[in-house]
Structure formats: C-alpha cells, structure tokens
Amino acid sequence: MATAVDNKRLAKNTMVLYFRMLFQMAVFFYTSRVIIRVLGVVDYGVYDVVAGLVVVMMFLNNAMTTSSQRFITVALGKGDKQHLSEVYSNCIIIHGLMALVVLLLGETAGLWYMHHYMNIPPERFESALWVFHCSLLSAMFLVLNVPFNAAIIAYERMTAFAFISIFDILCKLGIVLALPYCDWGDKLQIYAVMQLAENLVARSLYIYYCRRNFPDLKFTWKRNAALFRSILCFAGWNSFSNTSVVCNTQGLNLLLNYMGGPAVNAARGIAFSVQSAVTAFISSFQTAINPQITKSCAQQDFTAMQQLVMRSSRLSFCIVLLLFVPLICKTEWFLWLWLGSVPDYAVTFTRLLLCVSLVDALANPLMVGAAATGRVKRYYIIEGCSLLSILPIACAAASLGCAPQTVFAIQLTVVVIVQIIRIKLCNGLFGLPIKDYLAGVMLRCIGVLAAAYALPLLALSFLPDTTASTLGIIALSIAWTAAIVLAFGTDKAERTFIFQKISSRCLRSSTK
C-alpha cells in the first residue's frame, strides 16, 4: 500500500513539475529572443559573463544547497520533529553566514577580476558594474532562500513549488515585455535592477510559504555544534564536486571571454540556454524522485534505493532523448526560428552541450544516491578532482590556439569518463550493482540512442534542405524516438502505467 501511495505521489508531483517546466521553457525561449533583440549581442554577452562571474562567487553555496536538502530530507524521513527543527535552524544560520561570504568575495575578488581581466568594451564597463552589483545582491537572496526551498522539496509539496516558480516566471516575462518601453536610461542597467527587484519578491514567497505551512519547522538561534559541523563537513566535501561544476560552466565562460570576447560569450549563452531548457525538462522528474531516494536510504532500504537510482538514470536519459534527437538533427533551424540571426559558434556549442546533458541525465541520480548515504568524502574528492581537470585542459588547448568549440569537446570527453568512475564509487557506497547498471542502464541507453537517431539521420541524408522536409524530419524524430523509448527504454510496468494515464485522460476528455 505504501509503495502504491509513493508511486501515486511521484506521478502527481512529476506531472505538476512538468507543467511548470513546459510553461517555463515557453516563456524562457520567448524572453531570450526579446532580450537579445533589445540589448543586442554585445550587451547580452556582457550580462551573461558578468552574471556568471557572480555565480563563481557562489561556489560554496552550491555545496550547501545539496547539504541542506540532504539533511532536511533525512530528518523528515526519520520522523524526529526536534531534530528536524535543529537541522532547519542550523541550515538557516549557515546560509546567513554564506550570504555574507558571497558579498565579501564579490566586492573584493570579483571586482578585482572585472577591472583587470574582463574583456568588456570600455564604453559598456559602467553598465557591466551595475549588472555585477545587482547580480551580487540577487545571489545573496538566493543563498538565504536555500533552506526554505529545500524544505518544500523535502515535504514533496511540488504544487506549491510549481506555482511559486510560475509566479517567478510571469514576473520575469513582465520585465522583458516592459524593457523595450523603458527609455529613461541604459537598458542593460534597467534590466539588472528590475531583475534584482523581482528576485527579492520571488524569494520572499518561499519563506512565507514555509512559515505558514510547516509548523514543525521552528527556527531558533540556538546552535547545535555537532550538527553544525556535520552539515558543514558534508558541504565541505561536496564543494569539491560543486567547484568543478562552477569551473565547467562559468569558468569555461570566462575562458571563452578571454579567447573571443562578448560575442563568443553570447554564442555560449545561447547554447547554455538550450542546455538549461533540456536540463529543466528532466529536472522536474528528478526533483520528484530524489526525495524518495534519500528517504529510502534513511530507512536503510537499500534494495529500493538501488532500484530507484537505476530507474531514475534510465528514464532520465530517455526523457532527455525525446528532445535531444530533434534538436541535434535540426539545431541550426531551431536557433534560427528562435533568434532570427544565429551568432557564430552557437550551433556547434549547442550540439556539444546537448551531448553533455545526456551524460548528466545518467549522472544526477547517482550523485543523489551518494549524497543520501552521507559518506561522501571519497566520492566527492574523486569526482570533483576528475571534473576539475576540464578547465586546465581547456586552458592548455586555448594556449595552443585551438578553436573555441574545443573547450566543450574536452568537457564532453571528461564527463563520459567520470560517469564510469561514479558507478564504481556508488557500488562501494550503497551497493549499486555494477553489472546490472551497465547492462540495464548504460548499454540499454546507448542502444536506444543509436536506434532513435538512425532513422532521422537516414532521412537527413536523402531529403532536400527545405522547410517542408525540415518539419517532416522533426516530426519523424519525435515520433520515432518516442516509439523507440517506449519499446526498448521502458519496462512492462512503466509502459502499462503510461498507457493507463493516457487512456484515462482520453476517457475524461471524451466525457466532457
């Protein structure tokens, strides 16, 4: 009975988060097009690289986010209300201190880097400073908001999470719609200030919801020294992995700025936007299932935990594949449809980052499973150091005069190698069966990818490059990939569940 209830809740949460994600993607692609047109390619590139510099200042916060979510979810799974409140209070105190660290780093190291190493046109430097300071304050609000966001996810209140996110998206849409009519100053500066105000309002809603709906979460200033150290220790080891993530996103972005200036950053920003949209497509499913992985570990049910991790990896890959195949086949057409004018390097960057997204879809459930055990020192050191190798290798390639796209080719090669390493590490942490994972997840997913891409690739070879053939190939890619995923990427129980959901919705529609 409990399993049936969990599956029902998982399905409901996934559906709610997918509605949020689809709405978010539609608004995001529209607003990105408007922002590029209103700001221009150079200002868009300036905003992307400067805001990215602020993200570098937040590298410790990324580790603390995972730590807070893990400790709050485990405490909730154990059912100890007093311990839950202690975890919640300590997370808030830690994130308050983290916000001050972000401010200090930003106003010292961040400003120093901007003045000495940023490749920004001199006439746009003052506006870049506005973007930097507004982004820094937004980052502080984001840091302070993490425990409240983690609590909503731990309680699996995905409906509230989705509605607050939708409100956030609508506000961002309003900013973009209003931006062309803001003629009282520099548009890049106005955009930065409006984004700051919107972030403050949206973050406040998460805090209000937690205070109103979770009476068991009582904040006190009393600090539990042992728990405080445990949370920081977990985050400290996690910082190895998260530092590598920052280096592989914003660090590479800064390297591209050095190699080619804001125009290359704009191409990277476009490619990263597409990757983020694909990641959002799968994160809805993973956000719904991650708390169950953590709670299974807290309850010492490692068999269920292993099955959840393997199922999440396989289904995550298949879900990403539904977008991957049509996007890879017609990348240039999609970017043209979205932007009108496609910057140099944008097509190649997009394709390489889409390939990285496929590997990340497999990797994320393993990382959640490892974090759930709490024994993360060895895992994060090995994973983090392996991923950190991307930046120095990319810097060496840049010094040899390699083209900018080489940076992302290096990233893709390394993340594939690290995925193999993760499987071995998870076997030692929670007994992940290596043979079952390789056969039932990795090889199965590779086979599904090859089969799904084969027919569209064949069609590309024979059909002319016209609008009609492009639309036909996209339709073929989606239908064929969906059929392959259903036939070979899912098991019998999953197919039955999908068909039942489709049948019940069609039946409800016909009776209306």
Side-chain angles (χ1 to χ4, degrees), residues 13 15 28-29 37 58 61 93 118 137 161 207 226 237 248 294 335 405 415 419 427 438 488-489 497:
N13 288 338
M15 294 295 291
F28 172 78
F29 281 115
R37 187 176 71 245
M58 295 173 61
N61 179 66
I93 293 172
M118 276 283 191
L137 291 174
F161 183 75
I207 299 173
W237 296 118
N248 295 340
T294 304
L335 293 182
Q405 54 263 38
V415 296
Q419 173 63 7
N427 172 258
L438 290 175
F488 303 107
F497 176 81

Side-chain angles (χ1 to χ4, degrees), residues 238-313:
N238 190 19
S239 65
F240 276 92
S241 178
N242 282 282
T243 300
S244 67
V245 171
V246 171
C247 288
N248 295 340
T249 52
Q250 305 309 328
L252 293 180
N253 196 23
L254 295 175
L255 175 61
L256 290 171
N257 177 258
Y258 175 79
M259 294 172 71
V264 176
N265 289 123
R268 177 264 175 196
I270 290 166
F272 188 72
S273 296
V274 176
Q275 184 194 29
S276 298
V278 173
T279 302
F281 192 71
I282 186 54
S283 68
S284 299
F285 169 73
Q286 291 181 339
T287 299
I289 200 172
N290 288 349
Q292 293 195 23
I293 295 174
T294 304
K295 289 173 184 177
S296 296
C297 182
Q299 296 162 2
Q300 302 293 303
D301 189 353
F302 293 108
T303 300
M305 179 185 177
Q306 293 161 10
Q307 293 300 317
L308 283 169
V309 168
M310 289 193 291
R311 173 172 288 185
S312 180
S313 288

Side-chain angles (χ1 to χ4, degrees), residues 178-197:
L179 188 61
Y181 304 100
C182 299
D183 296 326
W184 58 83
D186 187 284
K187 280 188 167 54
L188 183 57
Q189 297 178 19
I190 294 170
Y191 180 64
V193 173
M194 293 171 74
Q195 286 280 64
L196 170 62

Side-chain angles (χ1 to χ4, degrees), residues 42-367:
V42 172
D43 273 7
Y44 180 77
V46 168
Y47 186 89
D48 183 70
V49 72
V50 173
L53 178 61
V54 173
V55 174
V56 174
M57 302 296 107
M58 295 173 61
F59 72 97
L60 288 176
N61 179 66
N62 295 328
M64 280 305 310
T65 299
T66 303
S67 183
S68 297
Q69 289 179 349
R70 187 262 174 189
F71 276 86
I72 291 174
T73 304
V74 168
L76 186 61
K78 291 180 178 179
D80 187 338
K81 294 182 179 180
Q82 181 179 353
H83 180 62
L84 178 61
S85 290
E86 288 180 347
V87 170
Y88 174 74
S89 299
N90 278 269
C91 285
I92 291 177
I93 293 172
I94 290 172
H95 279 84
L97 296 174
M98 284 296 308
L100 295 176
V101 171
V102 169
L103 178 64
L104 180 62
L105 282 175
E107 295 296 345
T108 53
L111 281 178
W112 172 80
Y113 186 90
M114 278 197 68
H115 281 280
H116 290 86
Y117 293 101
M118 276 283 191
N119 188 354
I120 296 173
E123 68 274 10
R124 304 306 298 147
F125 194 79
E126 182 181 354
S127 295
L129 287 175
W130 276 77
V131 172
F132 178 79
H133 291 297
C134 290
S135 298
L136 190 61
L137 291 174
S138 293
M140 291 182 64
F141 297 144
L142 181 63
V143 171
L144 292 170
N145 190 247
V146 166
F148 307 98
N149 196 309
I152 293 174
I153 293 175
Y155 275 91
E156 298 185 63
R157 300 289 183 87
M158 302 309 175
T159 302
F161 183 75
F163 278 117
I164 295 174
S165 297
I166 288 172
F167 174 80
D168 186 12
I169 295 163
L170 287 173
C171 289
K172 292 183 185 301
L173 176 61
I175 290 172
V176 171
L177 292 176
L179 188 61
Y181 304 100
C182 299
D183 296 326
W184 58 83
D186 187 284
K187 280 188 167 54
L188 183 57
Q189 297 178 19
I190 294 170
Y191 180 64
V193 173
M194 293 171 74
Q195 286 280 64
L196 170 62
E198 188 278 329
N199 279 324
L200 176 59
V201 173
R203 303 285 80 79
S204 300
L205 288 178
Y206 287 101
I207 299 173
Y208 174 77
Y209 182 87
C210 288
R211 290 174 62 87
R212 185 177 178 86
N213 293 277
F214 303 144
D216 292 337
L217 298 180
K218 296 181 174 63
F219 175 76
T220 62
W221 284 103
K222 184 178 180 181
R223 183 172 62 88
N224 183 324
L227 180 61
F228 195 89
R229 284 194 301 271
S230 296
I231 296 173
L232 284 179
C233 183
F234 183 96
W237 296 118
N238 190 19
S239 65
F240 276 92
S241 178
N242 282 282
T243 300
S244 67
V245 171
V246 171
C247 288
N248 295 340
T249 52
Q250 305 309 328
L252 293 180
N253 196 23
L254 295 175
L255 175 61
L256 290 171
N257 177 258
Y258 175 79
M259 294 172 71
V264 176
N265 289 123
R268 177 264 175 196
I270 290 166
F272 188 72
S273 296
V274 176
Q275 184 194 29
S276 298
V278 173
T279 302
F281 192 71
I282 186 54
S283 68
S284 299
F285 169 73
Q286 291 181 339
T287 299
I289 200 172
N290 288 349
Q292 293 195 23
I293 295 174
T294 304
K295 289 173 184 177
S296 296
C297 182
Q299 296 162 2
Q300 302 293 303
D301 189 353
F302 293 108
T303 300
M305 179 185 177
Q306 293 161 10
Q307 293 300 317
L308 283 169
V309 168
M310 289 193 291
R311 173 172 288 185
S312 180
S313 288
R314 174 170 48 82
L315 292 181
S316 296
F317 184 93
C318 290
I319 292 169
V320 170
L321 200 61
L322 293 171
L323 290 178
F324 176 86
V325 175
L327 284 172
I328 283 289
C329 288
K330 286 295 179 180
T331 309
E332 189 169 4
W333 185 84
F334 277 111
L335 293 182
W336 169 82
L337 184 66
W338 172 28
L339 302 171
S341 177
V342 182
D344 294 338
Y345 300 111
V347 173
T348 306
F349 287 0
T350 300
R351 285 175 171 159
L352 288 169
L353 286 178
L354 283 172
C355 293
V356 172
S357 295
L358 272 181
V359 182
D360 287 344
L362 289 170
N364 287 335
L366 296 179
M367 291 187 281

